[in-house]
Amino acid sequence: VPQDSTKVAILYDEEAVYVGARMYCAHPESIQTYLTKRDNSGNSEVFVLSFDTYLDRRTSYDFAVSASGVRFDRYHPADFEYWTDFSYNAVWDAQAHIDSLGWTAEIRIPFSQLRFNNQDKQVWGVNFNRWIPAKREDDFWIYTPRDETGWASRFGDLTGIEGIKPSSRIELLPYVASDGTFSNRFDSNDPFHDGSELSGRIGADLKMGLGP
């Protein structure tokens, strides 16, 4: 049973879903915070939000923020908590703040970064997780017992989201790159070669989702 409570609120508009979480802590000075790179929370206290946007009870997305404000996101391609794909890197925002009551997390996830069914009324699977390293405590809204399996199949239902539409699945990323090779082995009598070779290239990466 968690010693400190956690409260979560979810709102949305035409563009994004917003999540606010209040993590109470009797001793805020014990909250562990480490500044790390994205997708690496270190040993900081973390709040994790999980969405099964297709409600297929199999796949899901995780969005997490540590008490120090570090974000990480991942995709679960199967109904298993530890089968994760960290190559999923969405564009979203999060902030964290420690105060006298514990700490808070504010998250904004644009709908363009999620895939979901084209339906007027959405029902998503949802779960929340709070990791407290100072107590070695891993709290879930809906947990999977140690002797059982399943992950997204156990989520609760998030209802009340209406009137949103999936975004087009197309992304074009242009790039410019260059490289050079330098050598001290060259013919000093050759005015066209000084031991260096420079080259450049331009291009673009196109990503297109063909369907759900």
Side-chain angles (χ1 to χ4, degrees):
V1 178
Q3 299 179 17
D4 297 309
S5 63
T6 300
K7 294 183 178 180
V8 182
I10 300 177
L11 302 172
Y12 77 98
D13 59 18
E14 294 180 352
E15 298 182 353
V17 58
Y18 305 84
V19 180
R22 156 64 73 180
M23 279 62 67
Y24 290 96
C25 181
H27 303 284
E29 68 278 2
S30 69
I31 297 173
Q32 294 185 194
T33 59
Y34 296 92
L35 188 60
T36 58
K37 294 182 179 180
R38 178 170 174 167
D39 285 341
N40 182 4
S41 62
N43 204 33
S44 299
E45 187 163 329
V46 175
F47 170 75
V48 185
L49 163 72
S50 300
F51 281 144
D52 170 12
T53 53
Y54 281 126
L55 199 66
D56 58 14
R57 305 300 186 186
R58 184 176 61 87
T59 60
S60 62
Y61 301 93
D62 287 348
F63 299 90
V65 59
S66 71
S68 53
V70 176
R71 295 172 299 148
F72 70 83
D73 44 18
R74 59 196 177 193
Y75 175 68
H76 295 264
D79 187 27
F80 183 56
E81 179 183 359
Y82 301 108
W83 188 353
T84 56
D85 178 5
F86 274 98
S87 67
Y88 171 74
N89 289 305
V91 180
W92 56 289
D93 300 309
Q95 293 185 351
H97 177 69
I98 298 176
D99 56 25
S100 60
L101 298 178
W103 68 286
T104 59
E106 299 178 20
I107 298 173
R108 178 185 183 273
I109 306 170
F111 290 126
S112 63
Q113 303 302 300
L114 299 169
R115 293 193 175 192
F116 49 88
N117 295 312
N118 188 10
Q119 300 174 344
D120 185 58
K121 294 184 178 180
Q122 299 286 328
V123 180
W124 295 355
V126 65
N127 203 2
F128 311 107
N129 171 214
R130 179 182 177 185
W131 164 240
I132 308 175
K135 301 179 181 178
R136 304 292 299 175
E137 184 175 295
D138 208 8
D139 301 323
F140 294 85
W141 179 46
I142 299 176
Y143 75 101
T144 301
R146 292 180 180 273
D147 57 347
E148 298 182 23
T149 60
W151 176 239
S153 59
R154 295 179 176 271
F155 288 5
D157 289 350
L158 174 63
T159 61
I161 298 179
E162 301 180 6
I164 64 172
K165 297 294 183 182
S167 300
S168 57
R169 314 294 184 206
I170 186 168
E171 176 182 297
L172 180 64
L173 181 65
Y175 66 83
V176 177
S178 64
D179 57 70
T181 302
F182 303 90
S183 173
N184 58 2
R185 296 182 179 180
F186 62 94
D187 185 355
S188 59
N189 296 318
D190 186 347
F192 300 103
H193 297 284
D194 60 359
S196 63
E197 291 186 23
L198 301 176
S199 62
R201 58 190 182 277
I202 61 174
D205 291 329
L206 176 66
K207 296 181 179 180
M208 180 181 295
L210 301 180

